[in-house]
Amino acid sequence: MSIHQEAVQYRAKVQEMLGKKFNIIAGDMERVRADGTIDAALKVGQLASDFTLPDAFGNPVSLSALLAPPAQPSEACSAAIACGPATRDGANCPRACFRAGST
């Protein structure tokens, strides 16, 4: 069976399951196609325009801020990574900044 035949069978199955709702959805899809919305949508590899929206706490967050490269770790953070999770309390850490809780 070809992919086209499978698609036709699948469409018929979905149409049977959804009944009248299928025609509403199919009509909406055709309107979106006819309006040119699909052609105007970003394609894979295209860059989105920068925009800003509020986060859950109302603070503005921009797309560019979310996509920015992560900040370089500080020396203290590097020490924690070098020492590993078992010694984050600083007990066996060779760096003085992590000894005796002096982060």
Side-chain angles (χ1 to χ4, degrees):
M1 180 181 309
S2 73
I3 292 176
H4 178 70
Q5 290 170 330
E6 286 182 40
V8 168
Q9 285 183 351
Y10 185 74
R11 179 185 170 105
K13 183 178 177 180
V14 170
Q15 189 170 9
E16 181 182 319
M17 288 179 359
L18 294 177
K20 292 180 182 179
K21 294 177 187 174
F22 180 84
N23 293 332
I24 294 169
I25 294 169
D28 287 342
M29 289 172 47
E30 284 304 316
R31 281 189 288 282
V32 168
R33 229 179 249 118
D35 288 346
T37 304
I38 293 174
D39 295 330
L42 290 176
K43 307 297 184 258
V44 174
Q46 286 182 314
L47 295 178
S49 300
D50 194 28
F51 60 91
T52 302
L53 293 172
D55 66 9
F57 302 104
N59 302 315
V61 179
S62 67
L63 177 63
S64 58
L66 291 174
L67 297 177
Q72 294 297 318
S74 66
E75 186 175 326
C77 181
S78 298
I81 293 169
C83 294
T87 60
R88 287 199 186 196
D89 63 349
N92 299 319
C93 185
R95 296 190 186 212
C97 64
F98 264 77
R99 291 193 191 129
S102 60
T103 57

